[in-house]
Amino acid sequence: MGKEGQNIMNNRLENNYVESMEQMKFSKEQQERMVDFMVNHVGEKRNHASAARERLPFHIKRFVIAAVCFCMITVGAAVAHATGVLVLQPVSEVFREIFHLGTDTAQISDDVGGSLGISDTDDDVTVTADAVLGDDYNFVIVFSIKKRDGTAFEKRDIQVLSNSRNDIGFRSMEIRTDKKLGTERGYFRFYDVNPDATSIQFLYSCATNTNDSIGAKATASFIDFGYYNSSTKFVPIVTGHWDMTFPLNYADSTRHFAVNQKIKQDGKTIIIKKADVSLVGFYLEFEIRDTGDRELKEEMLDIIDRIPMELVLADGKKINLRDKSKGFSGWIDGNNICASYGNVFYEIIPIEQMDSLNIGSFTMDF
């Protein structure tokens, strides 16, 4: 991608970035709970005393199998603890609230998603990558923050600059992969589903323009947990550094539609290069060929941006995919202008509930 194409893309992404950062705002009550969550318990010391192992006599032959199973479970748990791997939660439990899962969609998420349970602990606080969902182009990871011993957090009244903007988060948050996923647009968002829970959840969603996300190895790095005050100065509550590496292993459920279909928009011929929809998200790619004058590139992107893009469900509901997109990118390929849109839906939509994909005047039936 040339410098001109990069500048066009960056200008287009600014509004999306600001909108996404706005999602990280919290009510005063949520801010107080999350700060108190960390303040009251980061100083608790772990108990280093190891529990003595008991030798259990098994005089009855039929108990031998049970003893072997018990030992296997015990050893497995010890290895898991030593390597930072926690007991795996079902994908549906991790995504239930944020994806508004029902009975049917919960089962689907367990089938296509991947449980992770990879964690790191510093300053008696544990950050865990719990589970991942996605498709060829998009993925979303849910993380949690909790006390190392897993006990509940107490509450107390703490004023956190109540009349100013306070964004809960880490001083540094980074997700990187071992594969080049083209243009990556990733966003962090904290959410507070259950005020009585023992952990705080946050997610990372990423939209790319290369279909190589599945199987990539991701490394998550976080430094210092706290909040930004009214002067945008970071105020640490927990000082620490958390790192974890895990594979993006999940099943692809994408429906790939025929490519190179031509449509008309504002008198221009636009080629639909890719049109992919999955249970979890979507990816659309367009091209205007032989535009000639490079000064018209921005105008061509505006034309593409006006193309109607709708997913129509069997019950008549219409989802505006352009508005849903957090992965817009535009680039120049010779004399051609290219643009893509993509994102996760933040819900599971079974394929049998999808009726058609409408792009411009062209309809693709499921």
Side-chain angles (χ1 to χ4, degrees), residues 267-301:
K268 292 292 183 182
T269 298
I270 300 172
I271 299 172
I272 304 173
K273 295 291 290 182
K274 293 182 181 179
D276 293 355
V277 179
S278 74
L279 302 169
V280 179
F282 66 97
Y283 178 79
L284 307 175
E285 186 175 309
F286 302 92
E287 182 181 73
I288 299 179
R289 293 180 178 171
D290 301 322
T291 54
D293 190 352
R294 297 179 69 85
E295 296 300 321
L296 297 178
K297 303 298 185 182
E298 180 68 24
E299 180 182 338
M300 296 300 104
L301 280 178

Side-chain angles (χ1 to χ4, degrees), residues 120 122 127-129 143-145 169-176 188 190 202 204 219-225 240-244 246:
D120 191 20
D122 196 1
V127 178
T128 303
F143 296 84
S144 58
I145 311 170
F170 293 92
R171 184 193 301 273
S172 173
M173 302 183 287
E174 181 184 17
I175 305 288
R176 55 190 184 277
F188 286 94
F190 283 74
F202 66 99
Y204 174 79
T219 298
S221 298
F222 308 104
I223 299 175
D224 298 346
F225 188 78
H241 192 169
W242 299 267
D243 289 297
M244 59 212 75
F246 46 87

Side-chain angles (χ1 to χ4, degrees), residues 198-317:
T198 60
S199 64
I200 293 175
Q201 288 73 42
F202 66 99
L203 62 82
Y204 174 79
S205 62
C206 184
T208 77
N209 64 357
T210 54
N211 59 344
D212 205 19
S213 297
I214 298 176
K217 182 184 293 184
T219 298
S221 298
F222 308 104
I223 299 175
D224 298 346
F225 188 78
Y227 63 94
Y228 287 88
N229 63 19
S230 58
S231 301
T232 68
K233 179 181 178 181
F234 184 78
V235 181
I237 300 300
V238 180
T239 300
H241 192 169
W242 299 267
D243 289 297
M244 59 212 75
T245 298
F246 46 87
L248 298 178
N249 286 341
Y250 52 86
D252 181 38
S253 58
T254 302
R255 172 71 183 274
H256 305 278
F257 290 95
V259 296
N260 294 323
Q261 174 66 39
K262 295 180 180 179
I263 59 174
K264 288 286 188 178
Q265 179 68 35
D266 296 349
K268 292 292 183 182
T269 298
I270 300 172
I271 299 172
I272 304 173
K273 295 291 290 182
K274 293 182 181 179
D276 293 355
V277 179
S278 74
L279 302 169
V280 179
F282 66 97
Y283 178 79
L284 307 175
E285 186 175 309
F286 302 92
E287 182 181 73
I288 299 179
R289 293 180 178 171
D290 301 322
T291 54
D293 190 352
R294 297 179 69 85
E295 296 300 321
L296 297 178
K297 303 298 185 182
E298 180 68 24
E299 180 182 338
M300 296 300 104
L301 280 178
D302 286 338
I303 291 175
I304 293 176
D305 205 33
R306 288 195 288 271
I307 300 173
M309 310 170 194
E310 288 184 332
L311 175 63
V312 181
L313 303 186
D315 62 2
K317 178 183 177 182

Side-chain angles (χ1 to χ4, degrees), residues 109-224:
S109 69
D110 285 332
D111 293 339
V112 301
S115 295
L116 297 173
I118 305 299
S119 67
D120 191 20
T121 300
D122 196 1
D123 202 8
D124 283 339
V125 170
T126 297
V127 178
T128 303
D130 292 308
V132 59
L133 277 169
D135 54 30
D136 277 352
Y137 289 91
N138 313 285
F139 61 88
V140 56
I141 307 166
V142 169
F143 296 84
S144 58
I145 311 170
K146 64 190 305 181
K147 290 172 53 182
R148 191 186 66 84
D149 62 11
T151 57
F153 291 86
E154 298 175 358
K155 300 177 182 178
R156 69 177 182 180
D157 293 329
I158 296 181
Q159 300 298 320
V160 187
L161 303 175
S162 58
N163 295 320
S164 64
R165 175 182 177 181
N166 299 282
D167 287 338
I168 303 294
F170 293 92
R171 184 193 301 273
S172 173
M173 302 183 287
E174 181 184 17
I175 305 288
R176 55 190 184 277
T177 64
D178 64 342
K179 294 183 180 180
K180 291 189 176 182
L181 300 180
T183 300
E184 298 179 49
R185 290 292 166 253
Y187 303 93
F188 286 94
R189 179 156 71 97
F190 283 74
Y191 60 99
D192 189 23
V193 172
N194 182 3
D196 297 319
T198 60
S199 64
I200 293 175
Q201 288 73 42
F202 66 99
L203 62 82
Y204 174 79
S205 62
C206 184
T208 77
N209 64 357
T210 54
N211 59 344
D212 205 19
S213 297
I214 298 176
K217 182 184 293 184
T219 298
S221 298
F222 308 104
I223 299 175
D224 298 346

Side-chain angles (χ1 to χ4, degrees), residues 40-55:
N40 286 335
H41 301 278
V42 296
E44 295 183 7
K45 303 301 181 181
R46 75 167 83 179
N47 182 5
H48 291 284
S50 60
R53 295 184 178 179
E54 296 184 24
R55 290 186 175 274

